[in-house]
Amino acid sequence: MLIDTFDSILGFTAWLLIGYMLFVIIVYGGMMVLSIKHIRKQYQLDEKEPYDELLKSSYTKPVSILVPAYNESAGIYGSIRSLVSIEYPEYEIIIINDGSTDDTIEKLIERFQLKKIHRVIRNQLHTKPVKALYQSVIYPNLYVMDKENGGKADALNAGINFSRYPYFCSLDGDSVIERNAFLKVMKPIIESDDDIIASGGSIRIANGCRIQNGEVTEIGLSSKPVVIMQVIEYLRAFLAGRIGLSSTNLLLIVSGAFGVFSKKWVIKAGGYSHTVGEDMELVVRLHRLIKEEKLDKKIVYVPDPVCWTEAPEELKYLRRQRKRWHRGLFESLWEHRKTIFNPRYKSIGLVSMPYYLLIEFFGPVIELLGYIIMIVAYFRGEIFIEVALLFFLLTVVYGSIFSAMAVLLEEWSMEKYPKVSHLMKLFLVALTESFWYRPMTVFWRIEGIMDVILKKKGWGEMARKGVSNE
């Protein structure tokens, strides 16, 4: 009798999980269809001429580029070299040295011939004290702020206070930007007549690429499977995920590695908050502000402008990153929990926030439970073999097949990887995701949830090699 009850509970739970997996696959499938539709519509056009017009147009809005840097000595030089040569009419670069304990500030002073300056800073957002301001002798639009350590959000807020222009871009200190990326990411803002208040570009993995003097001269792939899987993850997240969400104004994440914001709206929203996931939390807060003021403003994702960034090559650093990301997701959801299933916030409250809660946050919990039930069901005998097999096949579709489709979408639209051997490697590795990489990241995200429960804080140490081959 007890065994029959156990089997009944096991069977019910298993079918419930299968129903959840089918729901997730339908959601991701729908986002993939939207992505394919919008990306092909955009890239059927020859867009070189419009960008040339923007480069010469008086309507192109000036941008302040903010680069928070904490112990970024290894890659900061290459990142800045990529910025001083971008194709954009008017911009300033503001490096915020957030109390680095390495030689980041010394390297900046030496290589860019920085001289101390005195300028009044309008403190619209509260930050840690600024110790010194510098300006480059060789690049007059390059500034460096040296301040006390306060975290990435604090550094960005300090940069916003110092900036002069109506739009700012946040960039990671270990990233390299393509020369025309700013024209592309700013195009929808310029053409929207201020209806678009934030725009995000694509992030690609720089490991394996050849980068000289701050410019990607040859696109390549790392030889390490764990890095290749991160390339595939980024393709799926940006091309297959964010395009679909952006097309319906449901986007809740503009990557902190490359995003442009209206300074007026960010200050109105209170600036960056001191959370682990400060980029997502700001975007959600902007959406709330828009809905509460009943305005028709949008936050969009533009797939073509690309920023190349360094990915963790060791499992211990990748684990720390994924745990931190999941904690950041929880902090954003918890901070704005009143929006979830709240019709006042329309599609954000009824679709976007529930999606991030039920699929992105609780997804690893459901998946782990599915793995456990699949193993138990297999050993319970023939009656559950079909259930275990079905769950396994759905997991493969959810992981490997969607990842492989993202690789094909990359080649179909973006063509960033010119070598056939690279595409074949990406495609074949993508098909293996469900067998090793996805279970691993599920466990790490579960650890992130445990960190939330145990109230653990901090970013964790991340090793940097630098993306520039100087």
Side-chain angles (χ1 to χ4, degrees):
M1 185 67 178
L2 188 61
I3 293 176
D4 290 339
T5 302
F6 174 77
D7 285 345
S8 297
I9 294 172
L10 182 65
F12 175 77
T13 306
W15 284 110
L16 198 64
L17 290 175
I18 286 171
Y20 173 86
M21 291 295 291
L22 282 170
F23 170 71
V24 171
I25 288 170
I26 290 169
V27 170
Y28 274 113
M31 290 166 60
M32 181 73 75
V33 170
L34 283 173
S35 297
I36 292 171
K37 177 182 175 183
H38 282 269
I39 206 167
R40 287 312 293 175
K41 182 179 179 182
Q42 181 174 353
Y43 289 100
Q44 281 171 351
L45 303 174
D46 180 7
E47 298 191 329
K48 183 176 181 3
E49 186 176 344
Y51 292 128
D52 287 343
E53 289 178 1
L54 287 176
L55 189 59
K56 302 169 186 176
S57 173
S58 60
Y59 296 103
T60 303
K61 303 175 189 296
V63 176
S64 299
I65 303 171
L66 312 183
V67 185
Y70 176 74
N71 291 351
E72 298 285 1
S73 175
I76 194 69
Y77 177 71
S79 297
I80 298 175
R81 282 298 304 267
S82 76
L83 293 176
V84 296
S85 59
I86 63 171
E87 295 177 354
Y88 202 78
E90 187 176 2
Y91 65 98
E92 63 180 357
I93 305 165
I94 303 169
I95 314 300
I96 308 103
N97 180 50
D98 191 46
S100 295
T101 56
D102 64 2
D103 64 341
T104 296
I105 189 67
E106 289 79 12
K107 181 177 284 189
L108 290 171
I109 290 171
E110 176 190 352
R111 297 204 174 187
F112 294 101
Q113 298 181 32
L114 300 180
K115 300 295 182 183
K116 276 192 177 183
I117 62 171
H118 298 281
R119 199 168 103 184
V120 175
I121 300 174
R122 189 178 176 188
N123 291 313
Q124 300 174 88
L125 302 170
H126 177 73
T127 69
K128 293 283 188 179
V130 175
K131 297 186 290 185
L133 297 173
Y134 299 88
Q135 184 176 16
S136 171
V137 172
I138 51 178
Y139 301 107
N141 64 335
L142 172 61
Y143 301 90
V144 174
M145 304 178 73
D146 189 20
K147 63 180 286 294
E148 293 182 7
N149 180 258
K152 184 178 180 181
D154 193 80
L156 287 168
N157 287 337
I160 292 170
N161 287 338
F162 182 75
S163 65
R164 294 180 296 163
Y165 296 140
Y167 287 87
F168 72 87
C169 173
S170 61
L171 278 176
D172 281 350
D174 60 347
S175 302
V176 169
I177 199 85
E178 292 188 351
R179 292 189 65 184
N180 61 357
F182 275 97
L183 286 173
K184 293 178 178 180
V185 81
M186 283 296 294
K187 184 183 177 185
I189 293 175
I190 295 165
E191 295 178 344
S192 74
D193 194 25
D194 295 329
D195 285 338
I196 293 176
I197 62 172
S199 174
S202 291
I203 310 298
R204 293 288 188 273
I205 302 299
N207 307 50
C209 297
R210 183 170 181 79
I211 299 174
Q212 292 285 357
N213 297 322
E215 186 174 353
V216 178
T217 57
E218 183 181 350
I219 294 173
L221 277 180
S222 170
S223 59
K224 298 184 178 181
V226 70
V227 177
I228 297 174
M229 268 312 315
Q230 290 176 78
V231 172
I232 295 163
E233 264 190 317
Y234 276 56
L235 291 178
R236 185 176 63 192
F238 284 90
L239 291 183
R242 296 189 187 181
I243 293 177
L245 292 170
S246 173
S247 65
T248 49
N249 200 26
L250 294 173
L251 187 67
L252 292 190
I253 299 178
V254 171
S255 176
F258 185 30
V260 174
F261 295 86
S262 165
K263 185 167 75 171
K264 175 182 72 176
W265 278 94
V266 169
I267 290 173
K268 192 173 184 178
Y272 286 91
S273 64
H274 294 270
T275 59
V276 175
E278 76 290 326
D279 45 4
M280 178 180 180
E281 197 281 326
L282 174 61
V283 174
V284 177
R285 198 150 21 94
L286 287 170
H287 272 297
R288 284 190 69 173
L289 188 59
I290 292 167
K291 294 296 186 287
E292 288 167 358
E293 296 195 4
K294 299 180 180 178
L295 297 172
D296 187 23
K297 303 291 184 181
K298 295 179 180 178
I299 295 171
V300 302
Y301 163 68
V302 187
D304 193 17
V306 170
C307 173
W308 297 87
T309 192
E310 182 181 1
E313 294 190 346
E314 296 182 36
L315 290 180
K316 66 176 180 178
Y317 296 120
L318 181 60
R319 174 173 170 251
R320 290 174 188 172
Q321 182 192 66
R322 297 316 161 91
K323 287 169 62 179
R324 185 179 73 245
W325 283 3
H326 217 65
R327 277 195 295 126
L329 173 60
F330 171 79
E331 288 179 359
S332 296
L333 291 170
W334 181 253
E335 180 69 24
H336 302 282
R337 58 192 180 277
K338 291 182 181 179
T339 66
I340 302 174
F341 297 114
N342 189 338
R344 179 187 180 189
Y345 297 98
K346 299 182 180 179
S347 57
I348 296 299
L350 298 176
V351 180
S352 231
M353 290 294 281
Y355 161 78
Y356 278 97
L357 174 67
L358 299 176
I359 295 180
E360 296 295 340
F361 183 73
F362 282 119
V365 177
I366 304 299
E367 243 182 290
L368 179 61
L369 186 58
Y371 293 142
I372 294 170
I373 287 179
M374 186 171 65
I375 295 169
V376 173
Y378 178 82
F379 287 105
R380 285 298 302 149
E382 292 183 6
I383 190 171
F384 289 116
I385 291 294
E386 294 84 354
V387 175
L389 183 60
L390 181 57
F391 183 85
F392 172 74
L393 291 174
L394 290 176
T395 303
V396 171
V397 171
Y398 178 38
S400 299
I401 301 301
F402 276 133
S403 292
M405 288 175 66
V407 173
L408 293 176
L409 184 58
E410 156 71 26
E411 168 57 18
W412 191 37
S413 59
M414 307 293 289
E415 299 180 355
K416 288 293 181 185
Y417 293 93
K419 292 185 179 179
V420 175
S421 59
H422 290 163
L423 289 167
M424 287 300 298
K425 185 182 291 187
L426 285 168
F427 184 78
L428 293 173
V429 173
L431 293 176
T432 70
E433 179 182 0
S434 297
F435 302 95
W436 66 284
Y437 187 79
R438 187 163 191 87
M440 194 163 56
T441 57
V442 164
F443 288 123
W444 291 339
R445 291 159 72 192
I446 293 291
E447 286 185 299
I449 295 175
M450 294 304 299
D451 286 348
V452 168
I453 295 171
L454 298 173
K455 298 182 179 180
K456 288 188 178 180
K457 303 292 182 181
W459 276 57
E461 180 190 353
M462 298 295 287
R464 299 292 192 191
K465 293 183 178 180
V467 296
S468 184
N469 311 114
E470 298 173 32

